[in-house]
Amino acid sequence: MQKPSTCARPPWPQLLVCALAVTLTACGGGGGGGADTRSQASATILSGTAVDGYLQGARVFLDVNGNGLADTGEPTATTDANGRYSLDYSQVSSPVLGMRVIVTGGVDTDTGYAFTGLLTARADGSRAGQLVSPLTSLVDALVAQGLSLDDARTKVAAALGLTVADLATDPVAVLANQPGLYTRQVALQRAVQLMASANQGSQTAHEAQELVLRALATVIVAQNGTATVGEIVARASLSQASAARALADAVEDTLQAALRSQGGRASAKASLKAMDQIRHEMESSGEYSLSQAATRLDERNGATAYSGLAGVGGKTEAINTFPGRAGNATPVTQAPSTAGRLLAPNCFQCHGTGGVGGFDRIRGSDAAEVRDYLRKSARSDIMAAHAQGYTSAQLDAIIAYLKQ
């Protein structure tokens, strides 16, 4: 069982440090003695952790009406640097048991990249330690197909060779003793997002991810015995399932090797960041070949490291290459005004920290060009897809930050 969160942050993107949950717990609804008030408040706080790697600055909400949207009046919070959140549901009149906890946005602290995925979980009888992860998202998809929460957990655990207790365990916290729990989850999330990109059509990215999770739930319901993430993904009746399997297998193999290497956790983080770059290349090009995407990245960078991670060449050498690159990166001077900075990490994954040092420079006068992509179809260009994920005001903040 996870430790209860001690603080929630106000809605993205402000990320102002506060003590809202602590205040709620200490002050309650007013009146009465101190001990009684704290007891009343804690009885209406739902806390936990959002993790792919830990998601910082992500929006978490309790989907009271079941429409998948964060509506006015529904409990909402923002995760801290360790993915922790606290939801005050004192104003919710219905029982929260079984309601969905939904997580979007923020930054994956393992890679430093914006989290563009969707994580969900069903609120259970525990008010503290509500983990929201790729595995709980899969459990949620089985519940949506009519299974009870207990049966769904049993099915997912058996399918992946885990225990039911593993599904409620923070994979980062137990990384040293249970590395497989972490590698399965991050491989699953990347496979889901890749297939969502390939099968999106006119849906939003999050709707497409839920489509993929429903397809994987169907596979698991029909499955007997244990399988790898890659094997489960490959059985989904969706376009590019084989490419998603190749990605999931490569992520698991790479991270397991990185965690065993001398660099350990640091090497795993750097390798996962590189694997995300390969996935982005596959999605943006519309060519769902792991090896070809890795080759194109190597050609742009004059290296062979990406191909090594993709299984074409020396994996060990490649794993050792990426932490070195991170360590030798050219420092980028922080802009005088940091408004917009927390919105910009999604740009940095391709264009370098601060918009410098990546595939193309977007720091300075070139930053305003991002607005041109608003006139294009979201499916026509990876930049258009990213740009249209922001509001006009958020884009203005990003551009103003990068133009300094």
Side-chain angles (χ1 to χ4, degrees):
M1 190 62 64
Q2 303 304 306
K3 296 180 179 178
S5 174
T6 58
C7 179
R9 296 184 176 183
W12 176 266
Q14 288 90 350
L15 293 176
L16 301 175
V17 178
C18 74
L20 178 58
V22 174
T23 301
L24 287 168
T25 302
C27 300
D36 290 341
T37 311
R38 283 193 296 271
S39 177
Q40 291 166 7
S42 64
T44 57
I45 295 293
L46 190 71
S47 64
T49 305
V51 60
D52 178 35
Y54 291 134
L55 300 183
Q56 179 179 11
R59 182 177 63 172
V60 185
F61 68 95
L62 187 64
D63 188 17
V64 176
N65 61 11
N67 68 354
L69 303 174
D71 297 308
T72 301
E74 290 185 329
T76 304
T78 302
T79 56
D80 69 10
N82 293 311
R84 295 173 299 194
Y85 65 88
S86 290
L87 295 168
D88 174 18
Y89 63 92
S90 58
Q91 301 304 310
V92 177
S93 58
S94 304
V96 301
L97 184 66
M99 288 183 181
R100 296 176 89 201
V101 179
I102 299 179
V103 178
T104 60
V107 174
D108 185 338
T109 57
D110 275 1
T111 62
Y113 290 162
F115 181 69
T116 58
L118 172 79
L119 299 179
T120 63
R122 297 280 172 160
D124 60 24
S126 304
R127 293 188 178 91
Q130 296 277 316
L131 190 74
V132 190
S133 71
L135 287 180
T136 66
S137 301
L138 192 52
V139 169
D140 183 30
L142 268 72
V143 172
Q145 292 196 359
L147 276 71
S148 70
L149 182 56
D150 286 343
D151 287 346
R153 286 170 170 168
T154 299
K155 261 293 190 184
V156 169
L160 288 168
L162 302 170
T163 68
V164 171
D166 287 335
L167 304 183
T169 299
D170 177 348
V172 177
V174 299
L175 184 59
N177 297 320
Q178 292 181 261
L181 184 58
Y182 172 80
T183 60
R184 283 184 185 91
Q185 300 215 42
V186 295
L188 173 62
Q189 185 61 27
R190 273 113 191 116
V192 167
Q193 291 190 231
L194 184 75
M195 280 201 291
S197 172
N199 293 274
Q200 184 170 345
S202 60
Q203 303 176 97
T204 67
H206 290 166
E207 289 171 342
Q209 287 175 49
E210 294 207 270
L211 168 71
V212 173
L213 286 165
R214 289 195 298 270
L216 296 181
T218 299
V219 171
I220 288 176
V221 167
Q223 179 174 318
N224 291 313
T226 300
T228 66
V229 170
E231 289 169 344
I232 291 172
V233 166
R235 295 172 193 156
S237 298
L238 291 171
S239 175
Q240 303 302 334
S242 60
R245 175 181 183 169
L247 176 64
D249 289 345
V251 168
E252 282 218 72
D253 290 346
T254 295
L255 293 186
Q256 288 170 4
L259 289 168
R260 292 192 300 267
S261 72
Q262 186 173 1
R265 182 84 171 103
S267 291
K269 285 185 175 183
S271 296
L272 181 59
K273 184 174 182 177
M275 292 301 303
D276 274 347
Q277 291 169 344
I278 296 174
R279 175 175 61 83
H280 262 278
E281 177 64 24
M282 295 167 74
E283 293 173 356
S284 61
S285 67
E287 298 177 4
Y288 293 89
S289 167
L290 186 72
S291 60
Q292 290 178 16
T295 297
R296 287 194 295 272
L297 288 174
D298 280 333
E299 288 172 350
R300 292 173 194 165
N301 289 276
T304 60
Y306 288 100
S307 295
L309 296 188
V312 183
K315 186 179 290 289
T316 300
E317 182 180 355
I319 288 171
N320 292 333
T321 296
F322 288 101
R325 286 185 180 181
N328 296 325
T330 302
V332 176
T333 303
Q334 181 61 269
S337 173
T338 59
R341 182 178 185 274
L342 291 175
L343 291 166
N346 201 33
C347 308
F348 299 166
Q349 57 189 313
C350 293
H351 299 284
T353 301
V356 180
F359 301 150
D360 298 294
R361 178 190 176 97
I362 58 168
R363 185 83 172 262
S365 60
D366 294 338
E369 293 179 1
V370 71
R371 279 202 162 276
D372 295 339
Y373 291 96
L374 292 177
R375 295 190 292 270
K376 298 182 179 181
S377 164
R379 297 288 291 171
S380 66
D381 189 286
I382 187 63
M383 282 290 292
H386 284 307
Q388 292 171 33
Y390 295 98
T391 66
S392 180
Q394 288 172 334
L395 275 181
D396 286 342
I398 292 173
I399 291 169
Y401 169 73
L402 292 172
K403 288 182 73 173
Q404 294 178 98

